[in-house]
Amino acid sequence: MMNNTFLLNIITPDKSLIYKDVVCIILNTTSGQISLLANHIDKISNIDITPLTIRFTDHEEYLALSSGVMEVDNKNNTINLIVDTVERKEDIDLARAKKKKIEAEEILSKPHSNKDAIKAEKWLKKSLTRIKVKEEL
């Protein structure tokens, strides 16, 4: 009989988070939203700036991820998320995220260079992700 849970590793340059007995994760890749269950086929995808929902048998947890790479390892029933940053819901400063969102929107509402627009769009996306996670999606 196949196991219906898997091991989730989230790896950043600063830390690693390990979650055991995960039933499902939901996140955005550069190709769109994806839900992954145990025993998924091998897969590699680019991760977008995204909220991450981690479902266990009895509860859910929410994290904010920056961009990175996802590797699904069917043989070991493991999913590895290699990202620049990860923030737990309890570590997110909601007031700061809302302030950064407003600052990014102000930059985008005025004439600006392409470089400034790319930077502001990234700030906006990160801020919106943090707000969603803090407010539990």
mmCIF file with all atom_site columns, all heavy atoms in Angstrom, residues 96-106 123-124 127-128 131:
data_model
loop_
_atom_site.group_PDB
_atom_site.id
_atom_site.type_symbol
_atom_site.label_atom_id
_atom_site.label_alt_id
_atom_site.label_comp_id
_atom_site.label_asym_id
_atom_site.label_entity_id
_atom_site.label_seq_id
_atom_site.pdbx_PDB_ins_code
_atom_site.Cartn_x
_atom_site.Cartn_y
_atom_site.Cartn_z
_atom_site.occupancy
_atom_site.B_iso_or_equiv
_atom_site.pdbx_formal_charge
_atom_site.auth_seq_id
_atom_site.auth_comp_id
_atom_site.auth_asym_id
_atom_site.auth_atom_id
_atom_site.pdbx_PDB_model_num
ATOM 1   N N   . ARG A 1 96  ? 4.117  46.382 7.642  1.00 0.00 ? 96  ARG A N   1
ATOM 2   C CA  . ARG A 1 96  ? 5.240  46.615 6.713  1.00 0.00 ? 96  ARG A CA  1
ATOM 3   C C   . ARG A 1 96  ? 4.877  46.147 5.308  1.00 0.00 ? 96  ARG A C   1
ATOM 4   O O   . ARG A 1 96  ? 5.172  46.825 4.321  1.00 0.00 ? 96  ARG A O   1
ATOM 5   C CB  . ARG A 1 96  ? 6.489  45.898 7.219  1.00 0.00 ? 96  ARG A CB  1
ATOM 6   C CG  . ARG A 1 96  ? 7.711  46.136 6.361  1.00 0.00 ? 96  ARG A CG  1
ATOM 7   C CD  . ARG A 1 96  ? 8.958  45.501 7.010  1.00 0.00 ? 96  ARG A CD  1
ATOM 8   N NE  . ARG A 1 96  ? 10.112 45.699 6.179  1.00 0.00 ? 96  ARG A NE  1
ATOM 9   C CZ  . ARG A 1 96  ? 10.539 44.830 5.258  1.00 0.00 ? 96  ARG A CZ  1
ATOM 10  N NH1 . ARG A 1 96  ? 9.909  43.704 5.063  1.00 0.00 ? 96  ARG A NH1 1
ATOM 11  N NH2 . ARG A 1 96  ? 11.611 45.096 4.538  1.00 0.00 ? 96  ARG A NH2 1
ATOM 12  N N   . ALA A 1 97  ? 4.229  44.981 5.204  1.00 0.00 ? 97  ALA A N   1
ATOM 13  C CA  . ALA A 1 97  ? 3.836  44.466 3.893  1.00 0.00 ? 97  ALA A CA  1
ATOM 14  C C   . ALA A 1 97  ? 2.853  45.412 3.206  1.00 0.00 ? 97  ALA A C   1
ATOM 15  O O   . ALA A 1 97  ? 2.962  45.673 2.006  1.00 0.00 ? 97  ALA A O   1
ATOM 16  C CB  . ALA A 1 97  ? 3.225  43.072 4.034  1.00 0.00 ? 97  ALA A CB  1
ATOM 17  N N   . LYS A 1 98  ? 1.908  45.937 3.964  1.00 0.00 ? 98  LYS A N   1
ATOM 18  C CA  . LYS A 1 98  ? 0.930  46.880 3.390  1.00 0.00 ? 98  LYS A CA  1
ATOM 19  C C   . LYS A 1 98  ? 1.602  48.184 2.971  1.00 0.00 ? 98  LYS A C   1
ATOM 20  O O   . LYS A 1 98  ? 1.257  48.757 1.932  1.00 0.00 ? 98  LYS A O   1
ATOM 21  C CB  . LYS A 1 98  ? -0.199 47.142 4.384  1.00 0.00 ? 98  LYS A CB  1
ATOM 22  C CG  . LYS A 1 98  ? -1.130 45.948 4.524  1.00 0.00 ? 98  LYS A CG  1
ATOM 23  C CD  . LYS A 1 98  ? -2.273 46.217 5.480  1.00 0.00 ? 98  LYS A CD  1
ATOM 24  C CE  . LYS A 1 98  ? -3.230 45.027 5.498  1.00 0.00 ? 98  LYS A CE  1
ATOM 25  N NZ  . LYS A 1 98  ? -4.374 45.245 6.384  1.00 0.00 ? 98  LYS A NZ  1
ATOM 26  N N   . LYS A 1 99  ? 2.577  48.644 3.761  1.00 0.00 ? 99  LYS A N   1
ATOM 27  C CA  . LYS A 1 99  ? 3.321  49.864 3.414  1.00 0.00 ? 99  LYS A CA  1
ATOM 28  C C   . LYS A 1 99  ? 4.109  49.653 2.117  1.00 0.00 ? 99  LYS A C   1
ATOM 29  O O   . LYS A 1 99  ? 4.098  50.508 1.225  1.00 0.00 ? 99  LYS A O   1
ATOM 30  C CB  . LYS A 1 99  ? 4.262  50.229 4.560  1.00 0.00 ? 99  LYS A CB  1
ATOM 31  C CG  . LYS A 1 99  ? 5.071  51.477 4.302  1.00 0.00 ? 99  LYS A CG  1
ATOM 32  C CD  . LYS A 1 99  ? 6.024  51.779 5.455  1.00 0.00 ? 99  LYS A CD  1
ATOM 33  C CE  . LYS A 1 99  ? 6.883  52.963 5.100  1.00 0.00 ? 99  LYS A CE  1
ATOM 34  N NZ  . LYS A 1 99  ? 8.068  53.060 5.922  1.00 0.00 ? 99  LYS A NZ  1
ATOM 35  N N   . LYS A 1 100 ? 4.794  48.511 1.988  1.00 0.00 ? 100 LYS A N   1
ATOM 36  C CA  . LYS A 1 100 ? 5.568  48.210 0.770  1.00 0.00 ? 100 LYS A CA  1
ATOM 37  C C   . LYS A 1 100 ? 4.649  48.082 -0.445 1.00 0.00 ? 100 LYS A C   1
ATOM 38  O O   . LYS A 1 100 ? 5.017  48.475 -1.559 1.00 0.00 ? 100 LYS A O   1
ATOM 39  C CB  . LYS A 1 100 ? 6.383  46.926 0.951  1.00 0.00 ? 100 LYS A CB  1
ATOM 40  C CG  . LYS A 1 100 ? 7.532  47.071 1.905  1.00 0.00 ? 100 LYS A CG  1
ATOM 41  C CD  . LYS A 1 100 ? 8.606  47.938 1.320  1.00 0.00 ? 100 LYS A CD  1
ATOM 42  C CE  . LYS A 1 100 ? 9.836  47.965 2.187  1.00 0.00 ? 100 LYS A CE  1
ATOM 43  N NZ  . LYS A 1 100 ? 10.842 48.908 1.684  1.00 0.00 ? 100 LYS A NZ  1
ATOM 44  N N   . LYS A 1 101 ? 3.455  47.549 -0.249 1.00 0.00 ? 101 LYS A N   1
ATOM 45  C CA  . LYS A 1 101 ? 2.472  47.428 -1.330 1.00 0.00 ? 101 LYS A CA  1
ATOM 46  C C   . LYS A 1 101 ? 2.104  48.817 -1.849 1.00 0.00 ? 101 LYS A C   1
ATOM 47  O O   . LYS A 1 101 ? 2.107  49.064 -3.057 1.00 0.00 ? 101 LYS A O   1
ATOM 48  C CB  . LYS A 1 101 ? 1.222  46.706 -0.832 1.00 0.00 ? 101 LYS A CB  1
ATOM 49  C CG  . LYS A 1 101 ? 0.088  46.659 -1.837 1.00 0.00 ? 101 LYS A CG  1
ATOM 50  C CD  . LYS A 1 101 ? -1.160 46.044 -1.202 1.00 0.00 ? 101 LYS A CD  1
ATOM 51  C CE  . LYS A 1 101 ? -2.356 46.125 -2.098 1.00 0.00 ? 101 LYS A CE  1
ATOM 52  N NZ  . LYS A 1 101 ? -3.003 47.415 -2.123 1.00 0.00 ? 101 LYS A NZ  1
ATOM 53  N N   . ILE A 1 102 ? 1.825  49.738 -0.936 1.00 0.00 ? 102 ILE A N   1
ATOM 54  C CA  . ILE A 1 102 ? 1.460  51.111 -1.320 1.00 0.00 ? 102 ILE A CA  1
ATOM 55  C C   . ILE A 1 102 ? 2.626  51.788 -2.032 1.00 0.00 ? 102 ILE A C   1
ATOM 56  O O   . ILE A 1 102 ? 2.437  52.447 -3.063 1.00 0.00 ? 102 ILE A O   1
ATOM 57  C CB  . ILE A 1 102 ? 1.005  51.916 -0.082 1.00 0.00 ? 102 ILE A CB  1
ATOM 58  C CG1 . ILE A 1 102 ? -0.341 51.365 0.421  1.00 0.00 ? 102 ILE A CG1 1
ATOM 59  C CG2 . ILE A 1 102 ? 0.907  53.403 -0.396 1.00 0.00 ? 102 ILE A CG2 1
ATOM 60  C CD1 . ILE A 1 102 ? -0.751 51.851 1.787  1.00 0.00 ? 102 ILE A CD1 1
ATOM 61  N N   . GLU A 1 103 ? 3.833  51.620 -1.518 1.00 0.00 ? 103 GLU A N   1
ATOM 62  C CA  . GLU A 1 103 ? 5.015  52.224 -2.154 1.00 0.00 ? 103 GLU A CA  1
ATOM 63  C C   . GLU A 1 103 ? 5.193  51.695 -3.578 1.00 0.00 ? 103 GLU A C   1
ATOM 64  O O   . GLU A 1 103 ? 5.468  52.465 -4.503 1.00 0.00 ? 103 GLU A O   1
ATOM 65  C CB  . GLU A 1 103 ? 6.267  51.930 -1.331 1.00 0.00 ? 103 GLU A CB  1
ATOM 66  C CG  . GLU A 1 103 ? 6.332  52.676 -0.021 1.00 0.00 ? 103 GLU A CG  1
ATOM 67  C CD  . GLU A 1 103 ? 7.501  52.239 0.862  1.00 0.00 ? 103 GLU A CD  1
ATOM 68  O OE1 . GLU A 1 103 ? 8.351  51.426 0.422  1.00 0.00 ? 103 GLU A OE1 1
ATOM 69  O OE2 . GLU A 1 103 ? 7.566  52.711 2.012  1.00 0.00 ? 103 GLU A OE2 1
ATOM 70  N N   . ALA A 1 104 ? 5.036  50.400 -3.765 1.00 0.00 ? 104 ALA A N   1
ATOM 71  C CA  . ALA A 1 104 ? 5.190  49.804 -5.099 1.00 0.00 ? 104 ALA A CA  1
ATOM 72  C C   . ALA A 1 104 ? 4.102  50.314 -6.041 1.00 0.00 ? 104 ALA A C   1
ATOM 73  O O   . ALA A 1 104 ? 4.382  50.638 -7.200 1.00 0.00 ? 104 ALA A O   1
ATOM 74  C CB  . ALA A 1 104 ? 5.143  48.286 -5.009 1.00 0.00 ? 104 ALA A CB  1
ATOM 75  N N   . GLU A 1 105 ? 2.873  50.405 -5.558 1.00 0.00 ? 105 GLU A N   1
ATOM 76  C CA  . GLU A 1 105 ? 1.770  50.909 -6.388 1.00 0.00 ? 105 GLU A CA  1
ATOM 77  C C   . GLU A 1 105 ? 1.999  52.364 -6.790 1.00 0.00 ? 105 GLU A C   1
ATOM 78  O O   . GLU A 1 105 ? 1.694  52.755 -7.920 1.00 0.00 ? 105 GLU A O   1
ATOM 79  C CB  . GLU A 1 105 ? 0.439  50.765 -5.645 1.00 0.00 ? 105 GLU A CB  1
ATOM 80  C CG  . GLU A 1 105 ? -0.016 49.334 -5.527 1.00 0.00 ? 105 GLU A CG  1
ATOM 81  C CD  . GLU A 1 105 ? -1.220 49.133 -4.621 1.00 0.00 ? 105 GLU A CD  1
ATOM 82  O OE1 . GLU A 1 105 ? -1.478 49.987 -3.730 1.00 0.00 ? 105 GLU A OE1 1
ATOM 83  O OE2 . GLU A 1 105 ? -1.895 48.115 -4.793 1.00 0.00 ? 105 GLU A OE2 1
ATOM 84  N N   . GLU A 1 106 ? 2.562  53.161 -5.876 1.00 0.00 ? 106 GLU A N   1
ATOM 85  C CA  . GLU A 1 106 ? 2.862  54.570 -6.190 1.00 0.00 ? 106 GLU A CA  1
ATOM 86  C C   . GLU A 1 106 ? 3.917  54.667 -7.290 1.00 0.00 ? 106 GLU A C   1
ATOM 87  O O   . GLU A 1 106 ? 3.805  55.473 -8.205 1.00 0.00 ? 106 GLU A O   1
ATOM 88  C CB  . GLU A 1 106 ? 3.323  55.312 -4.934 1.00 0.00 ? 106 GLU A CB  1
ATOM 89  C CG  . GLU A 1 106 ? 2.193  55.616 -3.982 1.00 0.00 ? 106 GLU A CG  1
ATOM 90  C CD  . GLU A 1 106 ? 2.663  56.247 -2.673 1.00 0.00 ? 106 GLU A CD  1
ATOM 91  O OE1 . GLU A 1 106 ? 3.893  56.449 -2.480 1.00 0.00 ? 106 GLU A OE1 1
ATOM 92  O OE2 . GLU A 1 106 ? 1.790  56.535 -1.834 1.00 0.00 ? 106 GLU A OE2 1
ATOM 93  N N   . TRP A 1 123 ? 8.311  43.944 -5.837 1.00 0.00 ? 123 TRP A N   1
ATOM 94  C CA  . TRP A 1 123 ? 7.938  44.366 -4.483 1.00 0.00 ? 123 TRP A CA  1
ATOM 95  C C   . TRP A 1 123 ? 6.439  44.179 -4.272 1.00 0.00 ? 123 TRP A C   1
ATOM 96  O O   . TRP A 1 123 ? 6.005  43.713 -3.229 1.00 0.00 ? 123 TRP A O   1
ATOM 97  C CB  . TRP A 1 123 ? 8.273  45.827 -4.251 1.00 0.00 ? 123 TRP A CB  1
ATOM 98  C CG  . TRP A 1 123 ? 9.708  46.160 -4.033 1.00 0.00 ? 123 TRP A CG  1
ATOM 99  C CD1 . TRP A 1 123 ? 10.747 45.300 -3.787 1.00 0.00 ? 123 TRP A CD1 1
ATOM 100 C CD2 . TRP A 1 123 ? 10.270 47.463 -4.046 1.00 0.00 ? 123 TRP A CD2 1
ATOM 101 N NE1 . TRP A 1 123 ? 11.914 45.996 -3.653 1.00 0.00 ? 123 TRP A NE1 1
ATOM 102 C CE2 . TRP A 1 123 ? 11.664 47.331 -3.802 1.00 0.00 ? 123 TRP A CE2 1
ATOM 103 C CE3 . TRP A 1 123 ? 9.758  48.732 -4.236 1.00 0.00 ? 123 TRP A CE3 1
ATOM 104 C CZ2 . TRP A 1 123 ? 12.516 48.416 -3.740 1.00 0.00 ? 123 TRP A CZ2 1
ATOM 105 C CZ3 . TRP A 1 123 ? 10.605 49.820 -4.176 1.00 0.00 ? 123 TRP A CZ3 1
ATOM 106 C CH2 . TRP A 1 123 ? 11.967 49.661 -3.924 1.00 0.00 ? 123 TRP A CH2 1
ATOM 107 N N   . LEU A 1 124 ? 5.663  44.570 -5.281 1.00 0.00 ? 124 LEU A N   1
ATOM 108 C CA  . LEU A 1 124 ? 4.207  44.455 -5.183 1.00 0.00 ? 124 LEU A CA  1
ATOM 109 C C   . LEU A 1 124 ? 3.793  42.994 -5.026 1.00 0.00 ? 124 LEU A C   1
ATOM 110 O O   . LEU A 1 124 ? 2.986  42.649 -4.169 1.00 0.00 ? 124 LEU A O   1
ATOM 111 C CB  . LEU A 1 124 ? 3.532  45.090 -6.406 1.00 0.00 ? 124 LEU A CB  1
ATOM 112 C CG  . LEU A 1 124 ? 2.012  45.062 -6.427 1.00 0.00 ? 124 LEU A CG  1
ATOM 113 C CD1 . LEU A 1 124 ? 1.419  45.779 -5.218 1.00 0.00 ? 124 LEU A CD1 1
ATOM 114 C CD2 . LEU A 1 124 ? 1.491  45.690 -7.717 1.00 0.00 ? 124 LEU A CD2 1
ATOM 115 N N   . SER A 1 127 ? 4.748  41.746 -1.583 1.00 0.00 ? 127 SER A N   1
ATOM 116 C CA  . SER A 1 127 ? 3.866  42.329 -0.562 1.00 0.00 ? 127 SER A CA  1
ATOM 117 C C   . SER A 1 127 ? 2.491  41.676 -0.577 1.00 0.00 ? 127 SER A C   1
ATOM 118 O O   . SER A 1 127 ? 1.941  41.339 0.473  1.00 0.00 ? 127 SER A O   1
ATOM 119 C CB  . SER A 1 127 ? 3.715  43.840 -0.787 1.00 0.00 ? 127 SER A CB  1
ATOM 120 O OG  . SER A 1 127 ? 4.960  44.468 -0.646 1.00 0.00 ? 127 SER A OG  1
ATOM 121 N N   . LEU A 1 128 ? 1.935  41.481 -1.760 1.00 0.00 ? 128 LEU A N   1
ATOM 122 C CA  . LEU A 1 128 ? 0.621  40.844 -1.870 1.00 0.00 ? 128 LEU A CA  1
ATOM 123 C C   . LEU A 1 128 ? 0.664  39.408 -1.356 1.00 0.00 ? 128 LEU A C   1
ATOM 124 O O   . LEU A 1 128 ? -0.276 38.944 -0.699 1.00 0.00 ? 128 LEU A O   1
ATOM 125 C CB  . LEU A 1 128 ? 0.119  40.886 -3.315 1.00 0.00 ? 128 LEU A CB  1
ATOM 126 C CG  . LEU A 1 128 ? -0.267 42.273 -3.835 1.00 0.00 ? 128 LEU A CG  1
ATOM 127 C CD1 . LEU A 1 128 ? -0.526 42.221 -5.341 1.00 0.00 ? 128 LEU A CD1 1
ATOM 128 C CD2 . LEU A 1 128 ? -1.474 42.822 -3.092 1.00 0.00 ? 128 LEU A CD2 1
ATOM 129 N N   . ILE A 1 131 ? 0.768  39.547 2.469  1.00 0.00 ? 131 ILE A N   1
ATOM 130 C CA  . ILE A 1 131 ? -0.564 39.918 2.992  1.00 0.00 ? 131 ILE A CA  1
ATOM 131 C C   . ILE A 1 131 ? -1.507 38.720 2.921  1.00 0.00 ? 131 ILE A C   1
ATOM 132 O O   . ILE A 1 131 ? -2.207 38.411 3.889  1.00 0.00 ? 131 ILE A O   1
ATOM 133 C CB  . ILE A 1 131 ? -1.122 41.134 2.224  1.00 0.00 ? 131 ILE A CB  1
ATOM 134 C CG1 . ILE A 1 131 ? -0.283 42.385 2.552  1.00 0.00 ? 131 ILE A CG1 1
ATOM 135 C CG2 . ILE A 1 131 ? -2.599 41.354 2.557  1.00 0.00 ? 131 ILE A CG2 1
ATOM 136 C CD1 . ILE A 1 131 ? -0.509 43.563 1.608  1.00 0.00 ? 131 ILE A CD1 1
#
